[in-house]
Amino acid sequence: MISQHAKNYAGVVRQQAQTIGDRQAFCFIKDMTTAETSDTLSYRDLDEQARRLAGWLCDRAEPGDRVLLCFPPGLDFVVGFFGCLYAGMVAVPAPMPEGFSSARDRVARIVEDAGIVVALSDSAGVPILEKWLAEQFGTATPCGPARGLDPALDAGRELPEPDTDALALLQYTSGSTSEPKGVMITHGNLLSNMELISECADVGPHARGFGWLPVIHDMGLIGQILWMAYIGGTMFLASPTDFLRRPYRWLELIDELDIDFTVAPNFAYELCVRTLTPERIAKLDLSGWQVTFNGAEPIQAATLKAFAEKFAPAGFRPQTYVPCYGLAEATLMVSGKRRGIEPTTAIVDADSLALGKLVHAAPGSGEHVLVGSGAVDRSRVLIVDPARRLPLSDGNVGEVWVRGASVARGYWRQDALTAEVFDQSVAGESGYFRTGDLGVIDSDELFITGRLKDVLIVRGRNLYPQDLELAVRRIDPRLDKYPSAVFALEEPADSVVIVQEIRPRGLWETDYRDLAGQIRATLVREFSIPLPSIVFVAPGSVLRTTSGKIQRTAMKERFAAAALKPLHEELTDAVTEFRQRMLKGEPQMMTVNAESSPDEIRTWLLERVAHYLDRPIAKIAADAELAEYGMDSVYSMSIIAEVEDALLIKIDEMAVWKYGTVNALVEYAMTLVRTPAPLS
């Protein structure tokens, strides 16, 4: 049953334990091949074990403290998460600090940023986690198992009762090169988002779900675990790697276990289309499948069509799809199609879309197909011109701004960034979050067109990288199974780069050149872009988030640093020259003025110093004496002149020597900007 009147999410589970305590809440499938269920939790089990864990936590930390959750796939994470909520503490999900150094470094940044007080894992993971934390930070962090605790920990203990506004979760957003951003999600945010999801799904309290998404990701945690607990259904969970090894078993188990609810990103449906044979499909019965959410990355109309057509003989119906749009900063869901209604697609003119307009087109006339993400509540969702900060009318592409009870409080310990994107005002209305996503409303339906920071601006036209990536995949079967990342460089202007994964076995140099030629010809013809640069890389080289999104900014940074380890490159002369200059340390020439921030002026000044000294900018420290780098009087006078011209100030000709470092020189210049002396 749907939990009613709970003021926090711990109350949701308590209510379910009191009313449907014997119902299976969660089951873990250890091996998808055999469908062996290795662990189960009823709602009563979950309540009792969460209470015991809360008692253990309350002996070691205070309400509001942050608890690190590092678990292998299984149900221990579920108990660990709810134990945090029962204790009034803040759950911080993260992967186990294992594998590549970049993965361990990311967990270390999360631990440091969140201010972790205590950590949880399963019994096997506790000593590993405890040892890693001690080695990484030099102090002992209390670590314990989520399960197998003494029942006496719950005896007669009065647990905290968090308010609706209390933090429940720090959801760290995916990313590889930037510092982690912990989205502050409250109990009220979670409860509000459950209502939104229920409006779309409406599968009833006896729902049976099956999911394999990573539980450290918002869609895996909230869309699989928390929503199923909210409605009182039964959720079967499996390992993400088990799905990737055997995608066909996802669909077979939907049939075998009488599953009616699933959630998955677009790539999962593509994988099933590519890998399931007609013989396997002939044995499937998917007629009982009621709802499958499709989100977490751009939804491709071609994928929806291909999956529906391929699995129609097994009883799959297009009405089962629930395309949705959401993001961690809105807890999870912003909008979604209602259950039982076929997805809405819009055939639009590609050239008009590139100019920011949605214009319907006839099939076969240079069209682009968009998939709708459900009707929007216009009191919560606006399309805004990001430059002018004005609302746009229907049919105009702009940034999606959202508000409401599901919107998070902000980013943990990042007040400046929170102030930049949360609680924004437009047309006299406040409380909006700037999503950074581009979208358009047509006939009350929201269509997501791309990501603001990923948009390619080429010859004054806005192109969406996922469109170019899809076109590349269709060129040759050797490209179809692997992802690519398309991005544009700021310099040389209008330069487009395609980084494409490909399996190198059996390929010769002539094969690479031929494929590169086909890619170039296709993109120039279909998108009217200048000749692009092509980089072929080995499988696994294109970075993705935990939800499968292509990390184009990170790939762009790796390309600029020549860190991609290409199998074959075909770059334009201009791009080759630009990258060589960047690697030698000659940066793009940014500009500043008296309105620029100290950080912007510091970066600009470092670039100018690196330019005059002919050194890589990475080798110039802002707090080091410039004389140590060989700065002489000729160069110092040139730098002084540039600072004066840029900031419209008059500074001491000996400033470089008096202040010594870039940091000190910036601080001195900023005092003059605030109280400028007249230029002579």
Side-chain angles (χ1 to χ4, degrees):
M1 59 176 292
I2 292 181
S3 177
Q4 300 290 332
H5 311 302
K7 75 171 186 177
N8 57 55
Y9 221 88
V12 169
V13 177
R14 285 196 295 266
Q15 286 184 19
Q16 305 295 29
Q18 292 167 5
T19 56
I20 53 171
D22 293 332
R23 182 177 297 170
Q24 291 296 324
F26 298 97
C27 305
F28 184 71
I29 299 174
K30 183 178 181 179
D31 185 347
M32 286 176 61
T33 302
T34 63
E36 175 190 352
T37 300
S38 60
D39 196 6
T40 63
L41 281 171
S42 69
Y43 282 100
R44 183 172 291 108
D45 294 335
L46 179 56
D47 176 62
E48 291 175 353
Q49 294 184 34
R51 285 178 180 277
R52 291 174 196 167
L53 178 56
W56 186 90
L57 289 169
C58 287
D59 288 339
R60 292 161 177 80
E62 299 294 327
D65 283 344
R66 278 74 57 208
V67 181
L68 182 69
L69 304 181
C70 291
F71 290 84
L75 300 188
D76 287 44
F77 173 88
V78 179
V79 175
F81 183 86
F82 283 108
C84 291
L85 302 193
Y86 273 53
M89 299 177 191
V90 183
V92 184
M96 284 292 289
E98 300 173 326
F100 296 111
S101 60
S102 59
R104 297 194 300 273
D105 290 345
R106 174 169 169 75
V107 180
R109 291 197 300 270
I110 290 174
V111 170
E112 190 170 22
D113 183 73
I116 292 298
V117 175
V118 64
L120 297 174
S121 189
D122 66 351
S123 57
V126 167
I128 298 171
L129 187 59
E130 195 169 37
K131 181 175 182 290
W132 178 81
L133 286 168
E135 292 175 348
Q136 186 73 34
F137 299 100
T139 57
T141 301
C143 295
R147 302 170 75 181
L149 298 172
D150 187 347
L153 287 167
D154 179 34
R157 184 188 294 264
E158 185 174 344
L159 295 174
E161 191 68 29
D163 292 331
T164 303
D165 292 335
L167 282 186
L169 166 68
L170 287 184
Q171 180 69 61
Y172 277 87
T173 56
S174 302
S176 63
T177 58
S178 61
E179 289 302 307
K181 293 187 298 184
V183 181
M184 298 188 289
I185 297 176
T186 67
H187 286 266
N189 292 149
L190 292 172
L191 293 169
S192 170
N193 213 243
M194 295 305 101
E195 295 179 13
L196 287 177
I197 296 173
S198 297
E199 288 175 5
C200 293
D202 187 27
V203 290
H206 297 286
R208 293 167 64 85
F210 178 36
W212 43 264
L213 290 175
V215 294
I216 62 171
H217 179 252
D218 53 359
M219 183 176 272
L221 171 59
I222 298 169
Q224 292 178 162
I225 293 174
L226 299 193
W227 184 68
M228 192 56 70
Y230 182 77
I231 66 172
T234 299
M235 192 74 191
F236 293 83
L237 297 171
S239 164
T241 56
D242 215 2
F243 163 76
L244 293 174
R245 286 195 297 265
R246 306 173 186 88
Y248 63 89
R249 286 297 290 160
W250 179 42
L251 300 187
E252 290 178 348
L253 288 175
I254 288 172
D255 178 6
E256 294 170 18
L257 299 174
D258 294 324
I259 299 299
D260 46 33
F261 163 78
T262 62
V263 54
N266 196 78
F267 87 87
Y269 305 94
E270 290 183 340
L271 196 57
C272 289
V273 169
R274 291 203 305 263
T275 58
L276 264 77
T277 63
E279 291 76 20
R280 287 192 181 276
I281 295 173
K283 299 176 183 178
L284 286 177
D285 180 3
L286 302 179
S287 60
W289 197 2
Q290 301 297 313
V291 170
T292 182
F293 281 95
N294 186 339
E297 60 185 58
I299 302 168
Q300 299 289 345
T303 301
L304 298 185
K305 183 173 183 290
F307 187 92
E309 290 178 349
K310 184 159 188 174
F311 295 100
F316 180 82
R317 294 162 294 115
Q319 296 91 328
T320 302
Y321 287 130
V322 177
C324 54
Y325 165 67
L327 64 171
E329 289 84 349
T331 304
L332 179 62
M333 176 178 280
V334 171
S335 67
K337 201 74 177 173
R338 294 295 181 97
R339 170 193 173 184
I341 303 174
E342 282 197 39
T344 300
T345 56
I347 301 174
V348 302
D349 180 72
D351 291 335
S352 298
L353 190 66
L355 297 174
K357 296 281 187 181
L358 187 151
V359 177
H360 290 274
S365 57
E367 79 277 1
H368 179 87
V369 184
L370 299 175
V371 178
S373 295
V376 293
D377 176 354
R378 292 177 185 263
S379 68
R380 293 191 304 109
V381 180
L382 276 183
I383 304 299
V384 177
D385 181 327
R388 298 184 299 153
R389 299 173 72 92
L390 293 173
L392 294 171
S393 58
D394 289 7
N396 290 283
V397 177
E399 185 180 9
V400 182
W401 288 29
V402 302
R403 66 176 177 179
S406 289
V407 173
R409 185 185 296 178
Y411 296 117
W412 176 258
R413 290 180 175 172
Q414 296 203 36
D415 295 342
L417 183 58
T418 295
E420 184 180 329
V421 294
F422 283 89
D423 197 21
Q424 300 296 295
S425 297
V426 59
E429 297 286 338
S430 62
Y432 284 98
F433 168 70
R434 297 188 59 174
T435 68
D437 291 318
L438 291 174
V440 59
I441 295 175
D442 182 60
S443 299
D444 291 327
E445 183 103 7
L446 176 65
F447 295 86
I448 300 299
T449 60
R451 182 78 180 150
L452 186 59
K453 67 179 181 180
D454 287 339
V455 168
L456 315 177
I457 303 177
V458 180
R459 293 172 173 169
R461 300 164 62 241
N462 293 337
L463 300 175
Y464 300 101
Q466 63 268 25
D467 295 342
L468 280 73
E469 291 159 1
L470 180 61
V472 169
R473 286 177 47 192
R474 290 173 171 170
I475 290 172
D476 189 282
R478 290 171 292 185
L479 306 176
D480 183 51
K481 296 181 180 180
Y482 299 103
S484 61
V486 174
F487 48 84
L489 303 176
E490 287 76 20
E491 185 184 338
D494 296 330
S495 294
V496 176
V497 179
I498 297 93
V499 180
Q500 172 68 53
E501 287 186 7
I502 192 169
R503 188 179 183 185
R505 183 181 299 174
L507 294 182
W508 301 84
E509 281 298 305
T510 53
D511 296 313
Y512 288 118
R513 287 197 293 270
D514 178 62
L515 286 170
Q518 292 184 56
I519 292 172
R520 284 176 153 174
T522 298
L523 297 186
V524 169
R525 180 180 67 251
E526 295 188 11
F527 296 94
S528 299
I529 63 172
L531 194 69
S533 294
I534 313 295
V535 182
F536 290 108
V537 293
S541 301
V542 171
L543 299 175
R544 290 176 178 254
T545 67
T546 54
S547 63
K549 295 178 182 176
I550 303 297
Q551 294 184 306
R552 299 182 182 92
T553 300
M555 294 302 296
K556 179 177 176 179
E557 291 170 355
R558 288 196 171 192
F559 172 80
L564 286 180
K565 299 181 181 178
L567 300 170
H568 179 85
E569 279 187 331
E570 294 207 11
L571 311 182
T572 64
D573 292 342
V575 169
T576 299
E577 180 185 350
F578 168 72
R579 193 165 66 170
Q580 288 174 346
R581 285 193 287 110
M582 289 295 290
L583 293 174
K584 287 170 60 179
E586 182 177 341
Q588 302 174 64
M589 297 298 110
M590 66 179 292
T591 59
V592 294
N593 55 44
E595 300 296 323
S596 300
S597 69
D599 286 341
E600 291 171 332
I601 294 172
R602 182 178 296 106
T603 300
W604 170 77
L605 190 54
L606 283 168
E607 289 184 353
R608 304 314 299 141
V609 170
H611 171 73
Y612 283 109
L613 296 179
D614 195 25
R615 287 172 176 251
I617 190 172
K619 299 294 185 180
I620 307 294
D623 57 356
E625 292 290 332
L626 293 175
E628 296 178 3
Y629 295 116
M631 176 66 69
D632 62 17
S633 58
V634 175
Y635 287 152
S636 68
M637 294 305 296
S638 298
I639 287 176
I640 286 173
E642 288 201 38
V643 172
E644 288 182 337
D645 291 343
L647 305 184
L648 301 179
I649 57 176
K650 182 69 176 179
I651 66 177
D652 187 340
E653 65 182 12
M654 297 300 292
V656 171
W657 312 118
K658 286 182 178 179
Y659 296 96
T661 70
V662 167
N663 280 341
L665 190 57
V666 170
E667 185 176 351
Y668 166 63
M670 290 306 297
T671 63
L672 298 180
V673 168
R674 298 185 185 105
T675 56
L679 284 168
S680 58

